[in-house]
Amino acid sequence: MAQARRTFVILGHTAAITPHFTLNDLPASAGRLDILCRCVTAAFCLSHGIRTAVQVYLVLRDQVAVRLEGSRLKRLNPDERSTAALIKRALEALPNVRPGEQCESTPGVFVSLGGLQTVLDKLQAEGIALYLLHEHGKDLRSVEIKEPVAFVLSDHQDFHSSEEALMAGCPRLSLGPVVLHADHCIAIVHNELDRRASQMLQ
Amino acid sequence: MAQARRTFVILGHTAAITPHFTLNDLPASAGRLDILCRCVTAAFCLSHGIRTAVQVYLVLRDQVAVRLEGSRLKRLNPDERSTAALIKRALEALPNVRPGEQCESTPGVFVSLGGLQTVLDKLQAEGIALYLLHEHGKDLRSVEIKEPVAFVLSDHQDFHSSEEALMAGCPRLSLGPVVLHADHCIAIVHNELDRRASQMLQ
């Protein structure tokens, strides 16, 4: 695989880690999985196509990681329900996954055991710079960012203190004066980096 | 009602105009209503609250307008399905709505007959400046924008030529080098205007 230029790590503090939820009630039965689905859409979906140089880690309850790899993704549609169905398939495959291994449950969707620490270790081993998206951070527009880069976001809950401790060395970036949903943050980050990439090409 | 400071008009070219669709398949059975639901979320939903000074017009097949008014909205959750349920309730109320009138089907959700022309006439009569979000437009970041303001966006289809003709006098704004989903455009517009409003306060 080619290394993804942009990685988004989203912490799902209450998300389901078993497939025993209904697609008809993602907010309640799947523990706000709707938020994570919208993040996947914001990370990958363009008006007419997929961002292939992106990967997403969904970290579920600090126990399970679902990684989506843009260069291999198929069958990703922008609606929440169909994305949740892909995650459900990943969780169905989880019982057969051994520690330290991963399983590709559908094309471009990988599931593994392990929480935030495991994901951070992997990204750092790959030499990817890590940033924390946080309301108390430096303005994204004022910070030079080199790809490959990873951004860590939280769902509807604030970062837990244990998570902040793990990422104590990561610079914090803020996107503006208003605290936004995670998927909207991803759209704004992409837009800023798209603009910079476009200016570099000119 | 207080006048909304920001209005988003989203054209749903294929969206259902009757309530005979299933919430279990918004992309197909409801004609990509999932896109419009995500636009509603992007327009109103903050991490912890609702943007009360916003209104949204969903223009369905140029025949029906569903208006959501932030200052009166209740029961708006960020997930697609619950938003679609509000729109379904609005469409159930439609047969009892006479031309030129509107019905508040649930708090803050109004349904009426009429397409884009009707909506544009109303906004212009209210003195609201109109902008078209379009890939071939001036960069949003370089344009001074005074609120109250309205932005018109299209769903997964390009603007039809008849719609472009109706809005021939409206300035076109572009958000960047990549063509994005409508809901991501709304998040980016809000972010830019939030930043400006915050700077004005400092």
Side-chain angles (χ1 to χ4, degrees), chain A:
Chain A
M1 84 179 248
Q3 188 179 48
R5 290 194 296 116
R6 301 177 194 165
T7 297
F8 296 94
V9 180
I10 305 109
L11 307 184
H13 292 103
T14 59
I17 54 172
T18 71
H20 310 304
F21 59 83
T22 168
L23 297 174
N24 295 342
D25 185 7
L26 298 176
S29 82
R32 300 307 314 271
L33 194 63
D34 60 305
I35 298 175
L36 304 185
C37 293
R38 288 193 298 279
C39 286
V40 168
T41 298
F44 290 110
C45 293
L46 294 171
S47 184
H48 303 290
I50 290 279
R51 292 183 188 264
T52 55
V54 166
Q55 70 174 342
V56 165
Y57 281 95
L58 305 176
V59 180
L60 313 180
R61 297 193 187 210
D62 206 22
Q63 296 176 54
V64 174
V66 177
R67 184 171 67 86
L68 296 95
E69 188 182 312
S71 61
R72 289 181 57 86
L73 267 181
K74 289 180 184 166
R75 304 181 218 158
L76 181 72
N77 293 310
D79 66 298
E80 289 167 17
R81 187 186 175 96
S82 64
T83 304
L86 293 179
I87 297 168
K88 191 170 187 165
R89 286 283 297 275
L91 294 175
E92 285 167 354
L94 187 62
N96 301 319
V97 179
R98 295 180 197 169
E101 295 184 354
Q102 63 177 7
C103 167
E104 188 168 12
S105 51
T106 52
V109 182
F110 301 84
V111 62
S112 60
L113 293 163
L116 178 60
Q117 178 75 70
T118 308
V119 172
L120 296 180
D121 287 348
K122 190 162 181 294
L123 293 171
Q124 282 169 333
E126 292 168 3
I128 298 178
L130 282 164
Y131 292 91
L132 195 60
L133 289 189
H134 196 287
E135 60 186 293
H136 303 299
K138 273 196 179 176
D139 185 354
L140 168 72
R141 291 196 190 176
S142 71
V143 176
E144 187 185 356
I145 289 172
K146 286 188 182 157
E147 299 179 348
V149 61
F151 303 92
V152 186
L153 302 87
S154 188
D155 57 3
H156 59 300
Q157 294 187 0
D158 290 338
F159 288 108
H160 295 184
S161 55
S162 58
E163 294 160 353
E164 293 201 339
L166 282 181
M167 297 181 287
C170 300
R172 296 180 176 196
L173 295 178
S174 161
L175 304 183
V178 179
V179 184
L180 304 171
H181 279 237
D183 58 319
H184 302 149
C185 292
I186 292 172
I188 291 164
V189 167
H190 266 322
N191 182 244
E192 177 65 19
L193 298 187
D194 290 345
R195 286 173 165 271
R196 294 185 192 181
S198 166
Q199 284 168 348
M200 285 170 62
L201 292 173
Q202 282 172 0

Side-chain angles (χ1 to χ4, degrees), chain B residues 54-133:
Chain B
V54 167
Q55 70 174 343
V56 165
Y57 281 95
L58 305 176
V59 180
L60 312 179
R61 296 193 187 210
D62 206 21
Q63 297 176 53
V64 174
V66 177
R67 184 171 68 86
L68 296 94
E69 188 182 311
S71 61
R72 289 182 56 86
L73 266 182
K74 290 180 185 167
R75 300 183 223 160
L76 181 71
N77 294 310
D79 65 298
E80 291 168 15
R81 187 186 175 97
S82 64
T83 304
L86 293 179
I87 297 169
K88 192 169 187 164
R89 286 282 298 274
L91 294 175
E92 285 167 353
L94 187 62
N96 302 320
V97 179
R98 296 179 196 170
E101 296 185 353
Q102 64 176 6
C103 167
E104 188 170 11
S105 49
T106 51
V109 182
F110 302 84
V111 62
S112 61
L113 292 163
L116 178 60
Q117 179 74 71
T118 308
V119 172
L120 296 179
D121 288 348
K122 189 161 183 297
L123 292 171
Q124 281 167 333
E126 292 168 4
I128 298 179
L130 280 165
Y131 292 91
L132 195 59
L133 289 188

